[in-house]
Amino acid sequence: MTAKSEYQHSDSLIENALNGIYQCNEDGAFLSVNAALARMLGYASSDELGSEQFQTLLASAKEADIVTHGLRSSSNLVGMEVTLKPKEGPMVQAVLNGRWVERDGTGNDPYHEGILTDISHLKRQEEELLHLATHDPLTGLHNRREFNAIFERHLSRVRRYGDAGALLWMDLDGFKQINDSLGHNAGDELLSSIAHRMKATVRDSDVVARLGGDEFAVLYPNVDEAQAKLAAGRLLDAIRKHSVVIEGQILRSTSSMGVVLFPEHGNSASELFLKADMAMYRAKASGRNRITMYSYSDEKVENPESRIDWLRVIREALENDSFVLYAQPILDLKTNRIVRYEILLRLRDQAGNLIPPGAFLDVAEQFGLSGDIDRWVLRKVMDVLGDASLGDDLSFAVNLSPRSLTDPELLAMVTGKESLTIIGPVRLVLEITESAAIYNIHVAKDFLRTLRTQGYEFALDDFGKGFSSFYQLKNLDVDYLKIDGSFVRNLSKDPVDKHLVTAMVTLAGSLGKQTIAEFVEDEETLEILRSIGVDCAQGFYIGRPSPLDGILEDLRNA
Ligand code: C2E
Ligand code: CA
Ligand code: CA
């Protein structure tokens, strides 16, 4: 212990104490410091520390003033949190219990003394706890609760000072399939790498949060409409281009985004969240991988406002038969005849609008209603086709969602007596997506085997788009490969697509399967497909989806 003259302590308690103990005069020159304080601040000895000034140990001159003033203002023991500057390294957080001492009651030669307790580790723990409570552990982004709080605070500033801003609501496209087919670990890795990319794409002042699952939100604090669109466009692009390799597979995803402006579209958080969610659902419904700006005109349409509303609408549609079946022709390229129709589902809302399946199938899947939808579709198809005398060379294709392959009710339905009526005159092809099949490959295998003996045929839908095409082919006995539209759409411009489609055709041929190309939108593409040797084609150029009733009527009259 360093000490000067009469301030000397003989007490070895102080010398050996774990807390820092000091005395110093009014100007800040130390009168005594113990070894613990020297250690706390990284000095070799109390002698070395003793030659410093009290003020220079505090984080700033301002803090030194506050501390000295605080001590002086009372004759009692004062407790306060202080930040100390060690000889080197990070600042030390400490609690100071100190007092001002008027030595002889005359106010002359006063000094102060105190005990300093290092609480840096407690502070760090506190910060970690706070971080855990406010951040998403997987991505490190703000969590929903914290985002709500930040957004509320920001909105109250907006109300007071009248600035503007934008809120973006986002959902990854098809994330559920990735999770289901490749497992949660792969899904988690994709999520956290996309979160990093998002963080790197926005400005420091923008707030990015993960709301849960594959839903994210971004607060753009000070932007107008044009800037918000630009920023959202950058984010959409960055996510689309982002890829990550997980267990040897390249994973990527696109996103659907809804954007609202404030105060233009509302000034309460709940209203803006709802509207951003609505806009996002419109982005999904109109084809995904896009940004939709909320607009007032949306509200005039009977648009469900949230997932819960969608859930209600789907349930009602199932009860009231307000789903509508459309169908799209499939052309045989060898015979140039329509050989099949794919049944496509639409939902009629109360205003009479037809809603495409992209808008509600995700919600149905999420709430376990996709099995009910598939059974509804199959029953309807059996009803309308059962008595149809439409010729033997025509078949109909029905889409099945992942869950249906493990649905005993559906199996009972398609293998039961009532199903036999359709097997006679009309053939049915069941379309399953790659991701659907991998949901549970062994169940899918059995499902196919059972139904095949009943006369059903199978198509592997969206072939090439998934991450496991070859694995599917090895395990599933399907009749058709439906080459995913993403390989077909730009066939006339992209030589890589042409090579890939050629390879798929060769592969299918050697396995004894037929190929169907979807998304054929022009003559040129059709001719390329023909020259490559694709068996069948489907797309807007050949025919858009139209009501099944009308198609059946035409077929009967033909
Ligand atoms: P999918 O099975 O790949 O069906 C093809 C989708 O592409 C249809 O969209 C169709 O309208 C659209 N399409 C067809 N030709 C073209 C074209 O030339 N260009 C473009 N851009 N698009 C084209 P839709 O009807 O909106 O269906 C979307 C998806 O919803 C379907 O994709 C299918 O996976 C699912 N789906 C449709 N109906 C049902 C159903 O009854 N049950 C189940 N589980 N899923 C269904
Ligand atoms: Ca399909
Ligand atoms: Ca498809």
Side-chain angles (χ1 to χ4, degrees):
M1 177 134 189
T2 292
K4 290 170 187 165
S5 61
E6 74 254 45
Y7 306 104
Q8 194 139 16
H9 290 276
S10 58
D11 196 349
S12 75
L13 201 64
I14 291 175
E15 186 55 30
N16 295 315
L18 293 174
N19 294 326
I21 298 172
Y22 76 89
Q23 294 175 308
C24 75
N25 72 15
E26 197 178 8
D27 300 330
F30 282 113
L31 306 171
S32 72
V33 296
N34 72 348
L37 188 58
R39 269 199 306 279
M40 191 191 293
L41 297 174
Y43 287 83
S45 63
S46 39
D47 282 335
E48 192 192 1
L49 176 59
S51 60
E52 296 283 341
Q53 289 281 109
F54 179 74
Q55 296 88 310
T56 60
L57 298 186
L58 286 151
S60 64
K62 187 163 170 231
E63 177 147 5
D65 275 354
I66 294 171
V67 171
T68 321
H69 186 80
L71 289 170
R72 198 171 238 167
S73 62
S74 162
S75 54
N76 298 324
L77 199 63
V78 178
M80 57 184 120
E81 275 189 26
V82 297
T83 306
L84 302 174
K85 192 165 55 197
K87 202 171 166 195
E88 51 196 35
M91 296 288 179
V92 173
Q93 304 292 328
V95 170
L96 168 63
N97 289 296
R99 60 174 185 162
W100 196 260
V101 184
E102 308 278 339
R103 203 182 326 232
D104 51 8
T106 62
N108 289 331
D109 210 7
Y111 68 104
H112 61 97
E113 59 186 8
I115 300 177
L116 283 155
T117 310
D118 187 344
I119 55 161
S120 300
H121 59 291
L122 290 176
K123 280 279 170 196
R124 269 195 298 279
Q125 271 172 15
E126 192 180 301
E127 272 163 26
E128 275 162 24
L129 282 176
L130 190 69
H131 194 268
L132 272 180
T134 54
H135 288 73
D136 166 43
L138 177 66
T139 61
L141 298 176
H142 294 289
N143 63 17
R144 184 188 279 268
R145 178 155 24 102
E146 180 67 359
F147 187 75
N148 281 354
I150 294 173
F151 194 54
E152 292 279 8
R153 277 202 299 277
H154 186 72
L155 284 180
S156 64
R157 260 202 302 280
V158 167
R159 285 190 289 268
R160 200 162 343 126
Y161 303 114
D163 355 336
L167 169 72
L168 179 145
W169 210 254
M170 175 191 123
D171 187 287
L172 295 179
D173 300 328
F175 178 75
K176 199 176 172 310
Q177 275 93 313
I178 294 178
N179 229 14
D180 287 345
S181 58
L182 297 176
H184 292 291
N185 287 345
D188 282 358
E189 274 194 57
L190 182 65
L191 280 178
S192 70
S193 85
I194 284 179
H196 267 98
R197 173 53 55 97
M198 290 178 72
K199 231 11 218 158
T201 308
V202 303
R203 290 191 200 154
D204 282 351
S205 52
D206 301 338
V207 183
V208 186
R210 176 170 175 226
L211 304 170
D214 58 339
E215 269 193 339
F216 296 85
V218 184
L219 162 64
Y220 296 103
N222 268 307
V223 290
D224 59 21
E225 179 169 354
Q227 291 164 327
K229 280 185 176 157
L230 213 65
R234 260 201 308 274
L235 203 58
L236 189 83
D237 258 11
I239 292 171
R240 185 168 48 78
K241 290 182 186 147
H242 182 70
S243 66
V244 50
V245 179
I246 296 166
E247 288 169 19
Q249 312 212 47
I250 298 176
L251 295 194
R252 51 176 89 238
S253 179
T254 55
S255 57
S256 298
M257 302 176 168
V259 177
V260 286
L261 304 170
F262 46 84
E264 202 172 323
H265 295 146
N267 52 20
S268 81
S270 56
E271 184 186 1
L272 288 164
F273 286 162
L274 197 70
K275 288 180 172 174
D277 194 49
M278 274 172 78
M280 185 194 82
Y281 261 85
R282 221 161 31 89
K284 275 229 184 288
S286 42
R288 305 173 166 201
N289 187 24
R290 68 196 60 212
I291 303 158
T292 304
M293 184 66 77
Y294 172 81
S295 79
Y296 282 114
S297 62
D298 290 347
E299 289 195 70
K300 288 195 212 101
V301 195
E302 285 264 352
N303 247 349
E305 295 202 342
S306 68
R307 280 154 214 248
I308 300 302
D309 288 345
W310 273 118
L311 190 59
R312 179 179 51 74
V313 169
I314 294 168
R315 287 214 177 101
E316 281 171 9
L318 283 168
E319 274 164 31
N320 309 333
D321 271 10
S322 40
F323 283 117
V324 183
L325 295 183
Y326 268 50
Q328 186 180 27
I330 298 176
L331 182 75
D332 184 319
L333 294 179
K334 307 265 164 18
T335 62
N336 255 333
R337 295 179 53 188
I338 302 297
V339 286
R340 193 173 309 115
Y341 287 88
E342 178 179 1
I343 309 283
L344 295 165
L345 188 63
R346 305 285 180 263
L347 196 163
R348 193 184 296 286
D349 71 9
Q350 282 175 338
N353 303 303
L354 280 181
I355 302 169
F360 57 82
L361 281 181
D362 273 1
V363 185
E365 178 77 35
Q366 192 182 342
F367 290 101
L369 284 176
S370 48
D372 299 76
I373 292 183
D374 284 355
R375 273 183 264 118
W376 188 96
V377 171
L378 268 174
R379 169 144 299 129
K380 201 78 182 173
V381 168
M382 288 172 178
D383 282 354
V384 294
L385 297 184
D387 65 334
S389 40
L390 302 166
D392 331 334
D393 53 353
L394 201 61
S395 59
F396 287 82
V398 172
N399 292 285
L400 291 187
S401 62
R403 275 169 211 265
S404 289
L405 303 186
T406 57
D407 177 7
E409 268 188 75
L410 184 123
L411 195 69
M413 211 180 117
V414 289
T415 55
K417 261 196 236 114
E418 53 184 333
S419 70
L420 294 177
T421 48
I422 55 158
I423 304 297
V426 187
R427 287 183 297 132
L428 264 200
V429 179
L430 301 179
E431 295 198 358
I432 47 183
T433 57
E434 286 189 328
S435 57
I438 196 135
Y439 204 55
N440 187 339
I441 192 91
H442 298 295
V443 177
K445 227 167 155 171
D446 289 347
F447 183 88
L448 262 63
R449 201 178 298 135
T450 311
L451 291 190
R452 186 172 289 291
T453 61
Q454 303 270 326
Y456 290 90
E457 291 184 308
F458 295 93
L460 201 51
D461 204 354
D462 303 343
F463 184 74
K465 185 183 163 198
F467 310 106
S468 50
S469 310
F470 289 109
Y471 186 65
Q472 303 290 324
L473 271 186
K474 184 171 155 54
N475 283 286
L476 295 176
D477 182 17
V478 298
D479 308 272
Y480 308 95
L481 301 186
K482 288 195 84 171
I483 300 168
D484 188 61
S486 59
F487 299 98
V488 179
R489 188 182 255 152
N490 301 314
L491 202 58
S492 57
K493 287 169 223 104
D494 191 336
V496 174
D497 282 344
K498 199 168 162 185
H499 286 306
L500 291 175
V501 172
T502 307
M504 290 186 219
V505 170
T506 310
L507 177 69
S510 61
L511 295 173
K513 303 182 191 310
Q514 290 202 18
T515 46
I516 304 165
E518 54 178 16
F519 281 40
V520 179
E521 291 181 343
D522 52 45
E523 171 76 33
E524 206 183 342
T525 306
L526 189 67
E527 286 319 314
I528 295 173
L529 291 169
R530 213 189 280 279
S531 72
I532 292 176
V534 169
D535 298 295
C536 295
Q538 176 182 1
F540 291 170
Y541 179 68
I542 292 150
R544 287 186 178 260
S546 65
L548 178 63
D549 288 347
I551 290 172
L552 292 179
E553 179 107 29
D554 290 349
L555 285 172
R556 286 196 188 100
N557 294 336

